[in-house]
Amino acid sequence: MAIVAKGRYGYFDPETREYVITRPDTPRIWHNYLMNDSYVAMISHTAGGVSYDTDPRVYRLLRYRYQNVPYDRPGRYIYLHDHRSHACWSATWAPMHMPVEQCRYTCRVGTNYQIIAMEFNGIRTEVTYFVPPRGRQEIWDLRVTNTSSRRRTLSTFSYAEFAFWGALRDLMNIDNTPNISLQEYHRDLGAIAHHSWNDIGTGLHDMHFVQHYGFHISTPRPSGYTGDRDRFLGDCYRSEKDPLVVLRGRSEDYCGNSGYPIGSLEHRFSLAPGQTRRIVYRTGMAREKKGWRREALVYRDFVAVDRAFAALRAAWRRRLDMFQVKTPDPEFDCVVNGFVQYQSAMTMRLSRSISPYEWGIGRSIGFRDSSQDQMGMLHAFPEVGRRMLQAIIGAIREDGQACHDFNPLTRSWGVSGFYDDHNWPALTVNQYVRETGDVKFLGEKIAFQGTSRKSAVFDRLVAAQDFAWKMRGQHGLLQTGCADWNDSLNPGDKATESLFTSALYCASTRALIELAEHTGRTGQVAAWRKRYDAVRRQMNTVGWDGAWYRRMIRPDGFVFGSRKSRGYAKIFIEPQPWAVMAGVIGGRRAEKMLDQVEKRLGSPWGHRIMDLPFRKFDMEGVGSATVVTPGNKENGAVFNHASAWMIMAEALLGRGDRAYEYFMRKAGTTKNRRADVYEVEPYVSCQFVSQPPFHRVGRGRNQWLTGSAAWIALGAMQGILGCRPGFSGLVLDPSIPAKWPGFELTREFRGTTYHIVVRNPRRVSHGVAKTVVDGAKVPGNTIPHDPKKKRVEVVVTLG
Ligand code: GLC
């Protein structure tokens, strides 16, 4: 067992790519996800959390009470009752919260699985939670071992609280929901079935009831059951912490309609010293009546469960093995080979749908969010990227504008008017084509939202380009519209020009030109180049403040982010790294500009979003950032998404020491050492880290589903390690710390495994002097892709 970066609450295990939590009383609730292509479950380190199938608003299965105290209720609990001492406890610490000193607890946070082990009262329990690769269900695989020296007679009680599946109705229609639930115990299977009516309509006045079928079942069959929350708890003055059924050590054997349905199954058994008992619980759902029994029986034997778990782990291992690095820094390797990729892969799928801060009833897929999320892990999940890109392109309207958010399942599309949105997909599609070589995708016809009319992916990108060009302001820079990437810098005057969107537009235009040239669609390339040059010129004149780019220019002349600003921030981060990424600035001037970013915005956690938060409410002149407490979120925190762009920008300038340092400020291993200050999961990135004047400097919030995930992954893999997909082959352009003597990388690219050794005899940060592919020298730093080869050996020498 390997241990990296041991901290007060846990450590990283690079061999299994797990983070191991070693005590349950973490400063906040720490989460993970279990899922397959259809069923998604969020699970905390003490087993709390929600689950759903396909869509968190419509097909919700397990309830989770947000903004609630106690936090993190309810969960996938397993209670124990000792029939001699009548001691009661819970196998995942929550919800009974036994004295921490008496619990030997670990939680292995794995790739879509969670193993929570506990030794308490001379009994060891271990629960492996996961979602099998196929089906609509989750598995809780429990092992109970008697570690004491006497025979023990125990009862275990599982607990799963079902939500009415229409999550919106569950919240808003309490008058009705407790009266539409149907549940029964099926003696033949030993299963509790929950058959509620589910409103899959789009709102309270658009009812569309269908019946869905949920279940909770176990192997072996239970000795008792309780299907009603109130009966399980005993009365309405109790909670999950002291349920009467558990305290008494006997189930109610009751299951009836109405009320609040749960699944609780009891197993009464006795264990000789050293003996282990295994019980596998499964909770899931089906959309038709016949289906639930079939689903409930799939994993009824232990062999099938073991096989499913092995398949899940093997699948993840295979995907993560597609990019594995070995550098002189084991902490860097540990995070890049593990959680950096894992989190980025999760955001590809989940967008901003369900997290500790997103409860799945609001926005589903954010247009700009998902466009960026796809870029991080395309090499490992091209099929997910393709599917998401189809949905994203489908949300570009005929006039080239994008819908800011949308839900492909319920076919609902949000508003338009955020003028950064339509600029993102060209970058993502460009990345997708370079990664996969799938140029056919550009010709694929995709329907316009809500219609059967279709147009090709490439034409949609052209429409978006034309729309973006149209929406320039009085200085020829791109207008902001409702807001640019920064949601809360949204002045009332929509004609406000944004230097961020202008830079993004340039990057997007370059990406489109590359796609056009690569596929011979060159008709408009000259015109697009002219547009690029024009915007670039304006950025470097009107938009340039002397040492950095301004942030926005309002039609009334007010400038955000200028050295002349009084009482407002003089510099904002967003346009600076993007100007580098878009090729709008380069060389020494770019370096000096990024030096200013570090000098004025740098912190041990990353770069702050601006150097002075807003302090006065001004919705019309500034926007909703002015209601955010100074030092938090977009109002002055280290907003990790924007701050992660700095890693890539520095890497592109070849300043490897800086790129590496900025990456390490955000690395899980670094945060793990400051876990008490940072509070949230150190193993993944969060949205923002609070900064002065907020009094809790270094506190993280809004973890997991954040745009920083993809950009941190890109910063490490394509920036620092410099391994980028190119149209004709793999490009190697590392920007590493000068002291590294080299590194080694295994990278899969279009079905070929590249084993790359980078040597750095002259201790430089950047610059490829020689590339040798399978023993032969090749010019430049692109390894031409040969689909016939399964494995390619590359030696790159820097200097
Ligand atoms: C949130 C939003 C994202 C936005 C960012 C900055 O993360 O999901 O769309 O770009 O905040 O405001």
Side-chain angles (χ1 to χ4, degrees):
M1 186 181 69
I3 292 181
V4 169
K6 194 166 176 13
R8 180 155 180 230
Y9 300 95
Y11 60 86
F12 289 86
D13 181 341
E15 272 161 28
T16 56
R17 294 169 187 152
E18 295 163 334
Y19 180 87
V20 185
I21 306 174
T22 49
R23 49 185 299 161
D25 55 342
T26 51
R28 304 289 293 177
I29 310 297
W30 291 359
H31 293 86
N32 190 13
Y33 291 94
L34 322 171
M35 65 186 201
N36 60 23
D37 277 349
S38 163
Y39 187 87
V40 178
M42 185 170 77
I43 185 163
S44 76
H45 71 295
T46 55
V50 67
S51 77
Y52 64 88
D53 180 51
T54 315
D55 184 294
R57 186 156 66 89
V58 241
Y59 301 123
R60 194 160 301 203
L61 182 64
L62 292 186
R63 176 176 272 137
Y64 196 52
R65 291 190 283 277
Y66 279 82
Q67 313 258 39
N68 185 52
V69 279
Y71 280 94
D72 195 34
R73 295 279 173 87
R76 304 156 171 92
Y77 300 135
I78 294 164
Y79 298 90
L80 292 97
H81 178 109
D82 181 322
H83 284 288
R84 193 156 115 197
S85 65
H86 299 293
C88 298
W89 67 101
S90 37
T92 57
W93 194 54
M96 288 196 138
H97 291 169
M98 302 81 72
V100 175
E101 327 69 70
Q102 291 170 33
C103 303
R104 283 183 50 198
Y105 160 98
T106 56
C107 172
R108 294 195 153 261
V109 181
T111 41
N112 282 168
Y113 66 88
Q114 187 99 316
I115 305 175
I116 306 178
M118 168 96 83
E119 196 168 334
F120 186 75
N121 265 343
I123 297 289
R124 182 183 148 83
T125 50
E126 184 181 288
V127 201
T128 302
Y129 293 96
F130 71 102
V131 169
R134 268 185 305 281
R136 299 186 161 119
Q137 60 174 294
E138 53 186 83
I139 293 180
W140 323 345
D141 185 355
L142 167 73
R143 283 175 177 81
V144 189
T145 305
N146 181 357
T147 53
S148 71
S149 52
R150 59 196 163 82
R151 174 165 278 282
R152 308 283 290 270
T153 302
L154 304 168
S155 272
T156 51
F157 300 87
S158 59
Y159 185 87
E161 182 173 344
F162 295 111
F164 299 104
W165 286 293
L168 197 60
R169 183 166 295 277
D170 186 31
L171 283 174
M172 295 173 72
N173 203 190
I174 302 157
D175 163 46
N176 200 31
T177 40
N179 304 305
I180 59 174
S181 75
L182 309 167
Q183 56 263 10
E184 68 244 345
Y185 182 66
H186 289 254
R187 209 162 286 281
D188 59 329
L189 296 178
I192 288 176
H194 170 51
H195 297 175
S196 282
W197 288 101
N198 178 15
D199 182 5
I200 62 167
T202 53
L204 282 188
H205 302 290
D206 170 36
M207 291 183 214
H208 186 71
F209 281 104
V210 290
Q211 205 169 8
H212 286 134
Y213 303 86
F215 62 87
H216 183 63
I217 190 169
S218 68
T219 309
R221 292 164 55 90
S223 51
Y225 64 91
T226 309
D228 180 90
R229 186 176 79 188
D230 292 346
R231 294 287 286 266
F232 186 80
L233 301 181
D235 58 50
C236 60
Y237 302 100
R238 290 173 181 277
S239 75
E240 301 95 333
K241 199 176 169 70
D242 53 1
L244 214 55
V245 159
V246 177
L247 300 187
R248 201 177 54 199
R250 189 169 23 84
S251 291
E252 288 279 283
D253 291 342
Y254 170 85
C255 195
N257 295 340
S258 276
Y260 295 100
I262 62 161
S264 173
L265 300 174
E266 178 184 354
H267 293 79
R268 191 183 165 119
F269 53 94
S270 79
L271 291 176
Q275 203 185 350
T276 298
R277 168 94 170 183
R278 184 175 180 188
I279 303 166
V280 174
Y281 305 95
R282 286 165 293 116
T283 299
M285 64 183 292
R287 298 206 188 143
E288 346 60 55
K289 190 161 189 173
K290 276 200 218 111
W292 81 263
R293 280 180 164 257
R294 212 180 315 121
E295 184 74 47
L297 291 174
V298 188
Y299 297 101
R300 86 185 137 209
D301 63 77
F302 293 159
V303 178
V305 171
D306 292 340
R307 225 184 276 134
F309 188 55
L312 167 80
R313 290 187 78 165
W316 267 106
R317 187 158 277 278
R318 193 168 55 73
R319 304 272 187 165
L320 296 186
D321 278 349
M322 292 177 173
F323 193 107
Q324 290 292 301
V325 68
K326 193 166 176 348
T327 72
D329 182 348
E331 292 200 6
F332 178 86
D333 300 350
C334 169
V335 292
V336 173
N337 293 337
F339 275 93
V340 162
Q341 294 189 45
Y342 175 45
Q343 182 182 11
S344 178
M346 285 298 103
T347 61
M348 277 179 93
R349 278 274 317 278
L350 293 173
S351 196
R352 303 296 170 269
S353 58
I354 200 116
S355 81
Y357 295 84
E358 311 274 2
W359 61 356
I361 51 179
R363 58 190 171 158
S364 168
I365 299 201
F367 188 92
R368 69 158 84 102
D369 298 335
S370 280
S371 300
Q372 292 169 82
D373 294 344
Q374 300 318 301
M375 290 194 256
M377 286 292 283
L378 275 174
H379 70 276
F381 295 90
E383 77 289 0
V384 175
R386 188 179 220 282
R387 204 167 58 226
M388 289 298 288
L389 267 172
Q390 286 168 331
I392 288 165
I393 300 292
I396 300 177
R397 302 183 342 192
E398 285 184 277
D399 65 358
Q401 271 207 81
C403 299
H404 190 55
D405 48 38
F406 58 96
N407 186 329
L409 182 83
T410 48
R411 304 192 66 70
S412 48
W413 281 271
V415 294
S416 296
F418 296 74
Y419 292 161
D420 67 315
D421 276 339
H422 41 268
N423 291 289
W424 292 102
L427 289 160
T428 322
V429 172
N430 178 303
Q431 181 93 227
Y432 170 79
V433 172
R434 278 188 285 126
E435 185 63 56
T436 57
D438 177 12
V439 286
K440 280 208 209 97
F441 183 61
L442 295 174
E444 187 172 315
K445 296 243 159 89
I446 291 179
F448 290 97
Q449 25 133 334
T451 75
S452 53
R453 283 193 313 285
K454 290 182 173 180
S455 84
V457 169
F458 189 81
D459 296 340
R460 290 291 246 288
L461 299 181
V462 174
Q465 156 69 220
D466 289 340
F467 183 79
W469 177 247
K470 237 185 353 213
M471 302 318 282
R472 279 165 305 136
Q474 57 179 350
H475 299 102
L477 294 164
L478 279 280
Q479 288 181 34
T480 305
C482 299
D484 65 17
W485 168 87
N486 186 331
D487 270 345
S488 56
L489 205 51
N490 45 351
D493 196 328
K494 311 245 177 299
T496 298
E497 286 161 292
S498 159
L499 269 296
F500 166 80
T501 307
S502 302
L504 175 68
Y505 168 78
C506 288
S508 169
T509 304
R510 273 211 318 201
L512 182 63
I513 291 172
E514 282 176 16
L515 283 173
E517 287 181 334
H518 179 60
T519 57
R521 295 170 164 95
T522 48
Q524 288 157 277
V525 163
W528 294 335
R529 272 220 181 88
K530 272 200 196 136
R531 292 177 178 180
Y532 175 94
D533 288 341
V535 174
R536 176 186 173 168
R537 201 176 322 112
Q538 292 314 93
M539 285 187 70
N540 285 325
T541 50
V542 197
W544 182 249
D545 198 61
W548 56 79
Y549 291 97
R550 298 170 164 172
R551 179 65 180 86
M552 282 181 177
I553 304 173
R554 250 177 13 210
D556 65 359
F558 183 89
V559 175
F560 291 91
S562 162
R563 64 191 187 287
K564 297 201 193 103
S565 298
R566 295 260 170 279
Y568 288 105
K570 293 186 190 318
I571 179 170
F572 288 77
I573 196 170
E574 299 97 318
Q576 328 303 339
W578 269 97
V580 175
M581 290 194 266
V584 165
I585 189 173
R588 194 66 199 117
R589 193 163 70 104
E591 290 179 2
K592 277 164 65 186
M593 177 182 77
L594 294 191
D595 289 347
Q596 287 295 322
V597 175
E598 168 66 356
K599 183 172 153 212
R600 292 163 185 270
L601 304 177
S603 93
W605 302 93
H607 295 90
R608 291 180 290 145
I609 197 166
M610 77 249 248
D611 63 346
L612 185 66
F614 299 107
R615 288 169 181 277
K616 232 176 51 228
F617 175 73
D618 183 2
M619 203 52 209
E620 190 48 35
V622 178
S624 53
T626 64
V627 303
V628 178
T629 41
N632 285 305
K633 285 181 72 82
E634 287 96 332
N635 197 19
V638 169
F639 203 93
N640 272 320
H641 184 164
S643 150
W645 293 329
M646 285 293 287
I647 305 169
M648 185 60 98
E650 288 288 7
L652 291 177
L653 293 183
R655 299 205 297 181
D657 281 296
R658 296 220 169 198
Y660 166 81
E661 187 191 333
Y662 297 169
F663 176 84
M664 288 311 286
R665 287 179 191 175
K666 302 192 183 309
T669 47
T670 308
K671 291 181 297 185
N672 200 38
R673 297 203 180 81
R674 314 168 179 159
D676 273 312
V677 176
Y678 182 65
E679 295 188 358
V680 292
E681 297 87 321
Y683 45 85
V684 287
S685 173
C686 69
Q687 188 197 56
F688 72 97
V689 184
S690 301
Q691 292 297 303
F694 189 66
H695 56 286
R696 304 275 292 276
V697 177
R699 193 185 79 172
R701 283 292 183 269
N702 296 18
Q703 61 277 25
W704 268 106
L705 300 186
T706 138
S708 59
W711 282 102
I712 289 173
L714 286 169
M717 298 193 283
Q718 298 198 16
I720 299 168
L721 301 170
C723 183
R724 298 176 204 137
F727 288 109
S728 60
L730 206 54
V731 180
L732 288 168
D733 186 25
S735 277
I736 55 172
K739 66 171 194 274
W740 282 6
F743 65 89
E744 225 180 299
L745 180 69
T746 309
R747 198 321 182 159
E748 202 163 307
F749 178 62
R750 302 189 197 165
T752 304
T753 304
Y754 288 82
H755 177 241
I756 301 154
V757 175
V758 176
R759 296 199 180 123
N760 187 18
R762 300 180 57 196
R763 299 293 192 271
V764 296
S765 275
H766 183 241
V768 170
K770 195 164 102 186
T771 311
V772 176
V773 179
D774 283 337
K777 199 162 174 264
V778 300
N781 61 345
T782 300
I783 313 160
H785 180 62
D786 178 355
K788 289 194 290 297
K789 290 188 180 169
K790 281 285 133 241
R791 193 179 165 87
V792 175
E793 295 291 333
V794 183
V795 181
V796 170
T797 310
L798 304 182

